[in-house]
Amino acid sequence: MLWAIDVGNTHTVIGRHDGQGWRAVWRLETGAHTEDALAATLHSLCELSHLPFAAETVIVGSVVPTEDTVWRRLSQKWLHVEPRFLERGDQVGLRVTYNPPHAVGADRLANALAAIERYGTPVVVVDFGTATTFDTVDAEASYVGGAIMPGVEVAVQALAQHTAKLPPIELKLPGEAIGRNTVAALESGVMYGYAGSVDAVAARIVQELGGRAKVVATGGLGEVFATMCERIDVFEGNLTLDGLLLAAERMS
């Protein structure tokens, strides 16, 4: 059984794949945990999901270098497997023309791999995480770059920190654009404003790709914004994990 581990700045997503599909997907906070503490948590999650605490393959895509050692030790000590780390496009046959190539995060490489496999090229992946990233693959299947926006949760937190009276809001589809109270007005401005920004960036990227490209959403809030953004064609909740699965196959 394969473990795919997507280590992000805010959350770490762990997927268990049995060769047929994802048997379980878990989301943990990324933080200062020892390998033993993580093993205890994952062992309990395995029991709850009726899965063995064992692995044949472990593939890690991390954008938090300080977490790499913890996951390596966990895999070696508790799963008895030497983990593989997705770090560069040339490990998996993905041409990267971004400058410099090594600056592309593992999550973005995984997104590109899965999107190419599923939708062909050109393709754009909008990943809604701590930052919202636009991963762009051209018609020749080269990862050419994209765009990076502050994530909507980060934007809301910044707004709350710099205002005295604005209340917290829920990041959900607003009932209407005209907010009839402060909370509703905030929800409208944040959510419709952010969706419009995503559409604007996606439209420019697609235009630069020649006017035709599939736009795929993924990430924690991807499903919400996929229903709000006119330029997003489809939502794939496990796209990054799917890309890590492909990476593991190509690195074997």
Side-chain angles (χ1 to χ4, degrees), residues 27-130:
R27 182 181 295 267
L28 305 177
E29 286 188 15
T30 300
H33 304 291
T34 67
E35 65 271 19
D36 296 333
L38 276 173
T41 298
L42 292 171
H43 190 278
S44 297
L45 289 171
C46 286
E47 289 186 335
L48 289 170
S49 300
H50 306 291
L51 294 172
F53 185 64
E56 296 175 0
T57 303
V58 175
I59 178 72
V60 181
S62 172
V63 298
V64 187
T66 55
E67 292 289 294
D68 294 359
T69 299
V70 173
W71 286 102
R72 180 176 285 107
R73 288 175 176 170
L74 179 142
S75 183
Q76 293 169 336
K77 179 178 180 179
W78 291 103
L79 297 174
H80 312 294
V81 171
E82 189 64 36
R84 302 166 186 166
F85 283 77
L86 175 60
E87 297 173 321
R88 306 180 316 276
D90 59 13
Q91 291 175 289
V92 291
L94 177 65
R95 184 169 180 261
V96 177
T97 61
Y98 195 78
N99 185 27
H102 62 76
V104 181
D107 54 343
R108 305 185 76 179
L109 297 173
N111 286 342
L113 284 176
I116 293 169
E117 180 78 8
R118 190 157 300 167
Y119 297 106
T121 61
V123 66
V124 181
V125 178
V126 187
D127 191 344
F128 293 84
T130 306

Side-chain angles (χ1 to χ4, degrees), residues 119 215-224 226 232-238:
Y119 297 106
V215 180
V216 185
T218 192
L221 287 169
E223 189 168 14
V224 174
I232 291 177
D233 298 307
V234 64
F235 170 72
E236 293 279 0
N238 292 327

Side-chain angles (χ1 to χ4, degrees), residues 164-180:
K165 293 186 177 181
L166 292 182
I169 63 169
E170 187 177 352
L171 299 177
K172 63 179 183 180
L173 179 66
E176 55 185 355
I178 301 174
R180 310 292 176 173

Side-chain angles (χ1 to χ4, degrees), residues 26 33 41 52 68 75 87 100 105 109 128 132-133 145 148 159 174 176 188 204 208 211 214 216 239 244-245:
W26 305 310
H33 304 291
T41 298
D68 294 359
S75 183
E87 297 173 321
L109 297 173
F128 293 84
T132 295
T133 57
I148 303 172
L159 183 64
E176 55 185 355
S188 173
R204 286 181 178 272
E208 291 176 15
K214 194 82 168 181
V216 185
L239 190 72
L244 288 174
L245 176 64

Side-chain angles (χ1 to χ4, degrees), residues 199-218:
D199 276 336
V201 175
R204 286 181 178 272
I205 290 174
V206 170
Q207 183 180 20
E208 291 176 15
L209 288 171
R212 179 188 63 84
K214 194 82 168 181
V215 180
V216 185
T218 192

